[in-house]
Amino acid sequence: MTRSSTLPIDLRLDRSRHAAPQVFEKLRELIVSMELKPGAPLARVELAEAFGLSQTPIRDALSQLRDEGLVDIYPQHTTAVSRIDIAAARQAHFLRLSLELEIVRVLATREDPALIDRLQAHIDVQHANRVAERYPAFMAADQAFHQDMHQAAGVGALWELEQRYSGHVDRLRRLHLPEAGKADRILRDHQRILDAIAHQDVTGAQAALREHLSGTLSQIEDICARYPDYVTVR
C-alpha cells in the first residue's frame, strides 16, 4: 500500500482531538465507500507515515476496525480490508429495519414542520449529487437523512449503535449504488418516506421504509455474482 495509490493525499488531522479516533473515522470512511477495497493491505508503518503519526494510534484504530469486522489482522503477518460478510450484512439490515420501522411510526404520529424541512433539504442535496454523479457525497446525504430521523425520534444514540454493525451492508449498498436506476430509487423512496411522515401516514411511511431498506438485500445474489472476490458467503 502506498499513499499515492490507495489513500487520499489530504489526511490532515485535527490536533485538538485524539489521533486514533480520527484515523479510525478516516479509514472506515475509505473502507465503507469502497475506496479501500476488500483485500487491500493496511501496513501500519505506511499508515503511520501517511498520517504523520507513531504506530500506536494506527494500531488502536486498526483494532477498532477489526472489532467492526472491517479489517482482518494476522499477527506478525499482515492487516487487510476484510471481505464483505453477507451474514453480517443481513443481521445489520434486520437491526436497522426493526429500529427504523418504529422511528418512522413515531415521527408520523406528530407534526414537526422543522423536521420535514430538514429531511427535504437532505433529499435536495442527494439530488444535486446524483446529477453530478458524486456518489460519496450522495451516500453522506443518505446517511444524514436517516440520522436526522433517529435524532428527531429521540434515539440518536441508537444511530451510533447501528453504525457499529453497518459496515458490511453499507459496502454492499455502495457496490449497488452505481447500478442503473438505483440512486433514483433511493431518492424516490426517501421522498415517499418524507411525504408519508408529513401527512402523518404511519402505514405508508413504514411501507416506504421497508421497501427502501430492502432494495440492496434483494439483489444480494446478483451483487455476489458480480463481485465474487469482495464477498464471503457462509
Side-chain angles (χ1 to χ4, degrees), residues 19-198:
Q22 294 183 76
V23 174
F24 164 76
E25 291 164 5
K26 289 180 180 291
L27 290 178
R28 189 184 191 283
E29 180 180 352
L30 291 170
I31 292 170
V32 170
S33 69
M34 296 297 290
E35 291 185 57
L36 284 175
K37 295 177 171 54
L42 297 169
R44 280 191 299 181
V45 172
E46 294 174 359
L47 286 171
E49 181 181 356
F51 281 100
L53 298 169
S54 71
Q55 290 191 39
T56 298
I58 302 298
R59 183 186 63 242
D60 293 344
L62 291 176
S63 294
Q64 191 173 354
L65 289 166
R66 177 197 58 199
D67 292 343
E68 289 197 7
L70 295 178
V71 303
D72 295 319
I73 298 177
Y74 304 97
Q76 311 303 319
H77 181 50
T78 189
T79 298
V81 177
S82 69
R83 288 186 171 217
I84 300 170
D85 187 322
I86 299 301
R90 291 186 186 278
Q91 291 188 59
H93 170 259
F94 185 92
L95 172 64
R96 183 168 178 181
L97 179 61
S98 299
L99 289 172
E100 291 203 21
L101 283 172
E102 178 62 13
I103 285 169
V104 297
R105 186 198 67 78
V106 170
L107 298 180
T109 59
R110 63 195 191 203
E111 293 187 17
D112 189 345
L115 172 65
I116 300 305
D117 289 344
R118 292 198 307 273
L119 295 180
Q120 186 62 59
H122 295 314
I123 294 173
D124 293 343
V125 170
Q126 277 193 283
H127 179 74
N129 286 304
R130 163 68 185 92
V131 172
E133 296 186 349
R134 294 188 294 259
Y135 291 118
F138 182 94
M139 286 182 64
D142 183 300
Q143 294 287 79
F145 179 91
H146 288 274
Q147 184 176 12
D148 212 340
M149 289 199 300
H150 282 66
Q151 292 171 339
V155 292
L158 292 181
W159 174 257
E160 304 303 324
L161 171 67
E162 288 180 57
Q163 293 308 290
R164 291 201 291 273
Y165 294 95
S166 72
H168 294 288
V169 72
D170 284 345
R171 287 193 287 170
L172 281 178
R173 291 190 173 109
R174 180 62 184 87
L175 286 176
H176 193 205
L177 183 57
E179 297 294 325
K182 174 61 177 177
D184 292 330
R185 286 195 296 273
I186 291 173
L187 284 168
R188 177 205 66 198
D189 291 347
H190 279 187
Q191 195 66 59
R192 288 178 58 209
I193 293 167
L194 172 58
D195 290 345
I197 291 172

